[in-house]
Amino acid sequence: MENINQYLERYKTQFESEHVLMVPDNHQQHNPDPEYWAILLGDVQFNPNAWDGKSAFDFGCGCGRNLYNLSTLANWANIDGCDISPSNANYSKEWFDGKNTKPAVCTTWENNGSDIQPTLRKYDFIMSHIVFQHISNYDVRFSIMTDMYNSLNDNGLCSLHFMDLAVSSEYYESSLDYQNCRVGNEQYLVDDFNKIGFKNVKVETGRDYLTGARSYYIKGTKL
């Protein structure tokens, strides 16, 4: 029977094999999504001065789209990211550095799939977009969210996106299959954030701009 390490290695192999698809031209189509800007990134977009000189992090940085979008919203000191695909991690850094016009320093790295390590610093804002629905195993998702909490500075904010897709495992299922995850009930996300230790937990639901799938935006602070 397959174990978690084998599961993660299979995910790494799969996403590395698909890295040629993770280019800005393929992912800019998500940029017009109003929920992305107003909900997921709203705390930054509507109060940019509060983030001046602080550090941001994107989990599942892919082609670098979120890294660049963050750079347009505030004067960060650092904008970092990780991806399970080493090619994605390298590409996103190169693309960001070639496109960025602000002084933020960007560092990206390959992670093991069950946390965000090896981080170089603590963060004031941690985000993820169109990533968690691809992680079918509950224990892995919970481990990642716990590490995000541990990687926040005091008063730091975590803002994550989930969505329900077809052919999905149920939220609490510790599936070792390569498939999607279905939240189904936003209270599950709230319960996990509370269990991890987040405060001021809030969740909003919406619809994905491209697919119409139900989306969930969960936020919490570390006090």
Side-chain angles (χ1 to χ4, degrees):
M1 183 176 178
E2 189 175 49
N3 60 34
I4 287 290
N5 289 334
Q6 292 169 317
Y7 165 86
L8 292 172
E9 189 58 38
R10 189 154 52 88
Y11 260 75
K12 186 179 292 288
T13 299
Q14 181 67 32
F15 279 97
E16 177 65 9
S17 71
E18 296 174 351
H19 77 88
V20 293
L21 302 176
M22 296 292 291
V23 294
D25 285 349
N26 272 2
H27 278 66
Q28 300 289 13
Q29 60 185 333
H30 296 284
N31 275 348
D33 187 347
E35 294 175 2
Y36 170 77
W37 297 100
I39 305 177
L40 188 71
L41 300 181
D43 294 87
V44 179
Q45 177 174 230
F46 301 131
N47 192 18
N49 293 337
W51 306 94
D52 285 354
K54 295 189 175 181
S55 295
F57 179 84
D58 175 34
F59 175 75
C61 58
C63 63
R65 176 180 68 96
N66 295 322
L67 301 175
Y68 175 73
N69 287 342
L70 282 168
S71 77
T72 68
L73 296 179
N75 294 315
W76 306 95
N78 303 90
I79 305 174
D80 296 342
C82 73
D83 199 281
I84 198 170
S85 160
S87 294
N88 285 348
N90 292 334
Y91 179 92
S92 59
K93 160 72 172 170
E94 293 173 2
W95 185 77
F96 177 91
D97 286 346
K99 189 174 178 63
N100 185 44
T101 59
K102 293 191 175 182
V105 175
C106 178
T107 305
T108 61
W109 57 86
E110 171 194 358
N111 71 309
N112 64 14
S114 63
D115 54 37
I116 69 174
Q117 302 303 316
T119 58
L120 303 178
R121 56 184 61 86
K122 293 290 185 76
Y123 297 95
D124 303 290
F125 184 76
I126 292 178
M127 67 157 292
S128 184
H129 186 233
I130 58 171
V131 174
F132 274 95
Q133 75 271 10
H134 295 310
I135 305 172
S136 61
N137 189 282
Y138 168 75
D139 296 328
V140 170
R141 294 195 308 275
F142 190 84
S143 174
I144 294 167
M145 291 188 292
T146 300
D147 196 41
M148 288 176 168
Y149 176 84
N150 292 333
S151 300
L152 279 173
N153 283 318
D154 289 346
N155 298 312
L157 174 66
C158 185
S159 181
L160 307 180
H161 166 263
F162 291 72
M163 67 175 166
D164 293 341
L165 296 178
V167 192
S168 298
S169 61
E170 297 302 315
Y171 184 80
Y172 286 113
E173 186 177 347
S174 293
S175 172
L176 295 176
D177 293 330
Y178 181 77
Q179 59 184 5
N180 296 313
C181 157
R182 179 180 183 276
V183 175
N185 185 342
E186 59 265 32
Q187 188 61 42
Y188 298 156
L189 297 171
V190 174
D191 290 345
D192 275 352
F193 260 44
N194 286 329
K195 187 186 305 182
I196 290 167
F198 286 102
K199 305 300 181 184
N200 303 319
V201 177
K202 298 185 296 183
V203 65
E204 295 185 55
T205 61
R207 292 289 173 181
D208 179 64
Y209 177 77
L210 293 176
T211 66
R214 192 181 190 201
S215 290
Y216 307 82
Y217 302 89
I218 180 76
K219 298 181 183 184
T221 55
K222 180 179 180 179
L223 300 179

